[in-house]
């Protein structure tokens, strides 16, 4: 069965610290996509990134970077020099094989203190 | 683009009352999803539609829940009768059909059943 595990329930850091959010997934598919979403205190779910399993290169977008490792079935998310505005719940997600469903991990709540 | 529009944003009702949540997907998106978010169960997929047709409603908790999509620009999620355990945030999301495509979420409807 396909599954997404975010073992870190909550992380607290002080501003300017780097922080990594872990995501481990299970799938039998040979090709698949992985997603990260952010849910700030306002409550909306905001898309951050989509990654194709063919592409294992790390991706960087400003202070955000993603490390995709197929060998360990992980798709980790790092925020460099965290800011208070990064405080949110972050979700990793995976489509279910042969369906249009997207399953989400349980989320990691990140709190960045000034 | 106005994004996915949900109404009402907040609803407080008494047990036994009927609740109707509404969603307008992004124009051109032919898949629509209803998710429910609670502290205990996280983000759960309730039902989704492709081209206005319900494809999978296996996540709908009970017969008290029903969803319709009469046309490409409107969907409703109805709870009748409502119970306190239905209290949650209900999200509507849409995308162009394909598991690889990005799901865009509405702001959510926070339901409180007293």
């Amino acid at each position: 069965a396909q599954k997404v595990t975010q073992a870190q329930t909550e992380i607290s850091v002080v501003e300017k610290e780097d922080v990594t959010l872990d995501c481990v997934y299970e799938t039998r598919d040979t090709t698949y996509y992985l997603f990260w979403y952010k849910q700030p205190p306002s409550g909306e779910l905001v898309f951050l990134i989509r990654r194709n399993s063919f592409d294992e290169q790390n991706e960087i977008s400003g202070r955000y970077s993603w490390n995709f490792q197929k060998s360990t079935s992980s798709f980790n998310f790092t925020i460099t020099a965290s800011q208070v505005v990064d405080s949110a719940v972050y979700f990793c997600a995976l489509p279910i094989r042969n369906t249009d469903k997207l399953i989400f991990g349980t989320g990691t709540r990140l709190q960045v203190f000034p | 683009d106005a994004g996915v529009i949900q109404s009402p944003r907040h609803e407080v009702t008494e047990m036994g009352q009927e609740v109707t949540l509404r969603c307008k997907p992004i124009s051109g998106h032919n898949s629509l999803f209803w998710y429910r978010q609670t502290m205990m169960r996280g983000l759960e997929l309730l039902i989704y539609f492709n081209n206005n047709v319900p494809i999978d409603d296996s996540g709908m908790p009970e017969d008290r829940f029903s969803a319709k999509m009469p046309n490409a620009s409107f969907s409703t999620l109805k709870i009748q009768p409502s119970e306190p355990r239905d209290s949650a945030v209900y999200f509507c999301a849409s995308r162009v059909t394909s598991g690889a495509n990005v799901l865009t979420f509405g702001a959510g409807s926070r339901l409180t059943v007293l």
Side-chain angles (χ1 to χ4, degrees):
Chain A
Q2 285 161 285
K3 188 179 176 183
V4 176
T5 301
Q6 294 180 259
Q8 303 153 307
T9 304
E10 188 163 339
I11 301 175
S12 295
V13 299
V14 177
E15 224 174 4
K16 297 184 183 176
E17 283 187 40
D18 299 348
V19 58
T20 295
L21 310 181
D22 298 334
C23 172
V24 174
Y25 60 92
E26 295 176 27
T27 181
R28 293 182 182 178
D29 289 346
T30 53
T31 61
Y32 47 90
Y33 285 86
L34 291 160
F35 298 78
W36 275 94
Y37 282 81
K38 173 182 179 179
Q39 186 175 38
S42 58
E44 291 189 44
L45 280 149
V46 179
F47 165 74
L48 291 178
I49 190 172
R50 176 187 67 186
R51 173 50 64 88
N52 187 318
S53 58
F54 279 130
D55 184 2
E56 289 195 64
Q57 283 195 339
N58 289 343
E59 179 147 348
I60 298 174
S61 176
R63 295 184 297 107
Y64 293 175
S65 63
W66 289 268
N67 179 270
F68 177 34
Q69 293 198 347
K70 225 170 172 178
S71 59
T72 56
S73 296
S74 66
F75 186 38
N76 296 336
F77 173 30
T78 297
I79 302 175
T80 302
S82 59
Q83 299 176 2
V84 173
V85 293
D86 296 326
S87 297
V89 181
Y90 292 87
F91 293 92
C92 184
L94 171 73
I96 295 180
R97 184 181 190 184
N98 296 328
T99 76
D100 291 315
K101 297 182 183 182
L102 188 64
I103 56 169
F104 287 82
T106 50
T108 297
R109 180 178 299 278
L110 173 65
Q111 293 195 68
V112 182
F113 293 99
Chain B
D1 196 333
V4 177
I5 300 173
Q6 290 187 246
S7 64
R9 291 293 313 277
H10 302 274
E11 174 92 8
V12 180
T13 190
E14 292 189 349
M15 183 172 66
Q17 296 298 306
E18 177 178 298
V19 174
T20 299
L21 307 179
R22 297 172 177 80
C23 176
K24 177 179 169 56
I26 291 174
S27 178
H29 284 190
N30 55 347
S31 289
L32 183 141
F33 297 73
W34 282 100
Y35 282 85
R36 177 172 70 175
Q37 185 178 34
T38 61
M39 288 294 291
M40 292 296 295
R41 302 174 69 90
L43 273 161
E44 305 173 273
L45 177 62
L46 301 177
I47 185 171
Y48 75 94
F49 297 81
N50 283 347
N51 298 311
N52 313 337
V53 176
I55 301 300
D56 188 333
D57 65 355
S58 59
M60 296 285 261
E62 329 176 359
D63 291 346
R64 298 184 296 106
F65 285 69
S66 62
K68 293 182 179 179
M69 192 164 186
N71 57 62
S73 59
F74 184 66
S75 176
T76 59
L77 178 67
K78 186 175 292 187
I79 309 172
Q80 167 63 21
S82 58
E83 296 182 4
R85 59 193 167 125
D86 302 330
S87 297
V89 180
Y90 291 81
F91 287 100
C92 177
S94 71
R95 69 175 178 208
V96 175
T97 298
S98 167
N101 288 333
V102 174
L103 207 52
T104 301
F105 284 81
S109 293
R110 180 176 293 276
L111 172 65
T112 303
V113 183
L114 303 174

